[in-house]
Amino acid sequence: MPSKGPRTVYACQSCGHQSRKWLGKCPDCGEWNSFAEERERAAAKEGAGANRAGLRLRESKPIPFGEIEAQDDSREVTGIEEFDRVLGGGIVPGSLVLIGGEPGIGKSTLLSQVADKLSALYGSVLYVSGEESERQIKLRGERLSINPQGLFLLSETNLERIFDEINKLQPQAIIIDSVQTVFSEKLESAPGSVSQVREVAGQFLLLAKNLNTPVFLIGHVTKEGTIAGPKALEHIVDTVLYFEGERHHNHRILRAAKNRFGAANELGIFEMTGAGLIGVPNPSEVFLSERPVGASGSAVIAAMEGTRPMLVEIQALVSSSKFGTGRRTTQGVEINRVALLVAMLEKRVGFHLSGDDIFVNLVGGIALDEPAVDLGIVAAVTSSFRNIPINEHTIVFGEVGLAGEIRATSQAAVRLREAARMGFKRVVLPKNNLSGLPQDDRLEVIGVRSVSDALDALF
Ligand code: TYD
Ligand code: MG
């Protein structure tokens, strides 16, 4: 018999999976202790198609393919280059963008700067804050020395009220700081719960598409289950950007994790200064600025992040373990990849590493998962193991296979150009990449087929 009134369900606050019973572990995403009680939404009272937040919807009709405007030429450029690049070359009107990151990383700072530029270029921008008062935002703005004409601040958390103001103001862009603080009156669950966060995101998606206005949602990511993680939103929004970095470093990395309008692996690099975030147009310089010269265990690789080459230092430390079996610890590279490469070194080159602790770090707080990093890991580990430094003007890249073979990587010419620009003299790279490479007198290029060839060329 169906019961009357709202029914209770339990929802995973990490991914949104629902269950009638409380569960200790989410069967969907595997998170522990993530279930919270929520009231199930009563059936919508309004007629079908009506928008719960009171937005007037445009009626949709089939459109001939040829008459659909391509969106790419209408991107709005903010002039903050690192930001535009990550979005795929600017903001697509009508897109819903989620910017996730830990508290204090600089999300509000970044979006204030974006709002400033947008209001100067395109007209009114509405910045809705549920976390800070208008005065706090104003104080931050003064610190950033922004003076926007068309920027409107709204301290509000009620979704329906926010929509009223949007209908009145008709802004050219909307920023919601943060999605976890906004709640819809139509739902009974608490702000920040997964059903509220999804409802809010869903309503903003409709709004963005109907008004053809870009909407930016800021979302906090924490380890605790109390705040719905942006993971639950990833499939609703068009673009997901993560703002990362270590609190103790000034560098911040903006990474596209999903992008319906561009490549999903673009990076933007910023530096947090006393006057806000400043783009870093030349990341190689930053990542190599504190490189130890003549130290063993350090290798420089030419990596690609999206369309941009980037020279990064890999450091390895191999030290004998006190416990007989060695640990592997990594930062910025995948631990399983390191374990695999170490096993390959044991089998193919004959190193004895199983009793050693091995630490591998990517310097600068950045993380890379492209296969061309492999040869850099092998070089750094070998350099530390043998205690021989790699020549400071040498750079490596290449994918390493299980048989110890070196496989070709993409965009070798772009990587070489960056190495030459940064003053490197020698490149060890996959032999299969040699054909078709443009000549560059500044570089000695050494193609290698196997790990032992590579180690001969390096040491
Ligand atoms: P904020 O943008 O408030 O972070 P989030 O919205 O992600 O929680 O920024 C937090 C930190 O940034 C705070 O510790 C102060 C620092 N900061 C600067 O270093 N320089 C600046 O110009 C600003 C505005 C903030
Ligand atoms: Mg903030």
Side-chain angles (χ1 to χ4, degrees):
M1 206 183 87
S3 61
K4 295 203 186 91
R7 277 195 294 182
T8 299
V9 291
Y10 292 88
C12 170
Q13 300 300 302
S14 172
C15 72
H17 181 88
Q18 290 194 341
S19 160
R20 288 274 167 233
K21 292 179 300 185
W22 188 86
L23 298 173
K25 183 184 181 190
C26 176
D28 212 2
C29 69
E31 195 71 38
W32 286 94
N33 262 333
S34 59
F35 278 81
E37 187 179 332
E38 289 187 358
R39 295 287 183 81
E40 199 169 54
R41 177 195 309 155
K45 291 180 195 79
E46 291 101 322
N51 185 279
R52 275 190 298 280
L55 177 77
R56 277 182 297 279
L57 290 182
R58 201 177 51 190
E59 269 182 44
S60 53
K61 310 194 270 295
I63 312 171
F65 185 81
E67 286 173 24
I68 300 171
E69 276 177 63
Q71 280 188 311
D72 236 37
D73 40 33
S74 59
R75 281 181 192 261
E76 293 173 357
V77 172
T78 63
I80 302 176
E81 262 179 56
E82 300 295 305
F83 186 73
D84 292 336
R85 169 165 345 92
V86 175
L87 288 174
I91 300 165
V92 175
S95 62
L96 181 64
V97 180
L98 173 69
I99 293 146
E102 286 174 24
I105 204 78
K107 301 178 296 296
S108 304
T109 306
L110 177 66
L111 270 299
S112 306
Q113 292 178 264
V114 168
D116 172 46
K117 296 280 191 225
L118 286 177
S119 66
L121 292 167
Y122 302 101
S124 57
V125 174
L126 182 64
Y127 193 111
V128 182
S129 180
E131 305 197 333
E132 293 163 309
S133 66
E134 288 95 341
R135 287 192 49 200
Q136 280 173 299
I137 301 170
K138 171 91 200 235
L139 280 177
R140 176 188 290 114
E142 281 173 356
R143 189 169 168 189
L144 302 172
S145 54
I146 56 177
N147 187 21
Q149 296 293 313
L151 180 58
F152 292 80
L153 302 179
L154 175 65
S155 199
E156 180 60 73
T157 53
N158 180 312
L159 181 69
E160 286 73 21
R161 285 269 310 113
I162 294 172
F163 272 46
D164 280 349
E165 294 302 330
I166 291 172
N167 277 332
K168 274 186 229 154
L169 186 66
Q170 297 286 324
Q172 298 304 303
I174 299 157
I175 293 159
I176 307 296
D177 187 359
S178 66
V179 65
Q180 277 105 359
T181 56
V182 179
F183 69 97
S184 165
E185 287 168 2
K186 309 276 161 39
L187 295 191
E188 292 189 47
S189 33
S193 66
V194 82
S195 40
Q196 279 286 6
V197 168
R198 275 187 169 178
E199 170 72 11
V200 169
Q203 293 297 324
F204 275 112
L205 183 70
L206 279 176
L207 177 117
K209 302 297 167 204
N210 274 284
L211 300 182
N212 204 28
T213 304
V215 177
F216 297 90
L217 302 176
I218 292 179
H220 290 297
V221 199
T222 58
K223 294 265 143 58
E224 285 77 44
T226 45
I227 300 174
K231 277 260 174 285
L233 299 182
E234 279 185 357
H235 64 278
I236 299 178
V237 303
D238 295 313
T239 301
V240 180
L241 307 181
Y242 278 103
F243 206 34
E244 302 165 346
E246 286 171 57
R247 203 77 77 79
H248 308 292
H249 283 93
N250 288 335
H251 291 108
R252 301 282 182 271
I253 293 162
L254 188 66
R255 178 192 294 277
K258 162 185 174 178
N259 195 352
R260 285 187 184 146
F261 308 114
N265 49 0
E266 287 289 354
L267 277 193
I269 298 175
F270 294 92
E271 188 176 348
M272 180 64 98
T273 69
L277 291 155
I278 297 178
V280 176
N282 194 346
S284 302
E285 219 157 75
V286 173
F287 290 134
L288 298 181
S289 61
E290 287 172 90
R291 183 160 64 109
V293 169
S296 64
S298 160
V300 181
I301 56 152
M304 292 295 297
E305 274 292 340
T307 52
R308 186 154 63 158
M310 212 176 280
L311 307 189
V312 192
E313 183 196 355
I314 296 186
Q315 292 192 339
L317 184 67
V318 179
S319 71
S320 58
S321 167
K322 294 189 179 59
F323 305 106
T325 46
R327 282 180 304 154
R328 277 86 182 96
T329 311
T330 65
Q331 195 183 303
V333 291
E334 223 197 312
I335 194 159
N336 291 331
R337 198 72 205 158
V338 171
L340 184 149
L341 293 168
V342 168
M344 185 279 308
L345 278 174
E346 294 199 309
K347 179 95 179 168
R348 308 285 165 198
V349 191
F351 291 174
H352 293 290
L353 293 163
S354 56
D356 289 332
D357 287 337
I358 299 177
F359 305 88
V360 178
N361 280 3
L362 217 55
V363 177
I366 159 169
L368 292 176
D369 59 2
E370 67 149 352
V373 177
D374 289 357
L375 195 53
I377 297 173
V378 166
V381 168
T382 307
S383 165
S384 177
F385 177 68
R386 291 191 178 161
N387 205 14
I388 307 174
I390 296 170
N391 180 300
E392 58 174 300
H393 298 296
T394 301
I395 200 160
V396 299
F397 63 87
E399 181 179 352
V400 178
L402 288 184
E405 81 279 17
I406 310 285
R407 295 161 170 268
T409 54
S410 61
Q411 318 235 43
V414 182
R415 297 175 205 253
L416 287 190
R417 213 180 312 131
E418 179 76 357
R421 196 180 66 80
M422 290 298 295
F424 284 85
K425 305 260 186 304
R426 213 160 160 258
V427 182
V428 177
L429 81 178
K431 190 151 203 159
N432 287 341
N433 275 130
L434 286 181
S435 62
L437 270 189
Q439 275 291 323
D440 193 330
D441 313 329
R442 294 172 291 180
L443 289 174
E444 181 194 350
V445 176
I446 304 164
V448 291
R449 255 187 224 295
S450 67
V451 168
S452 41
D453 284 357
L455 296 184
D456 287 346
L458 287 168
F459 302 100

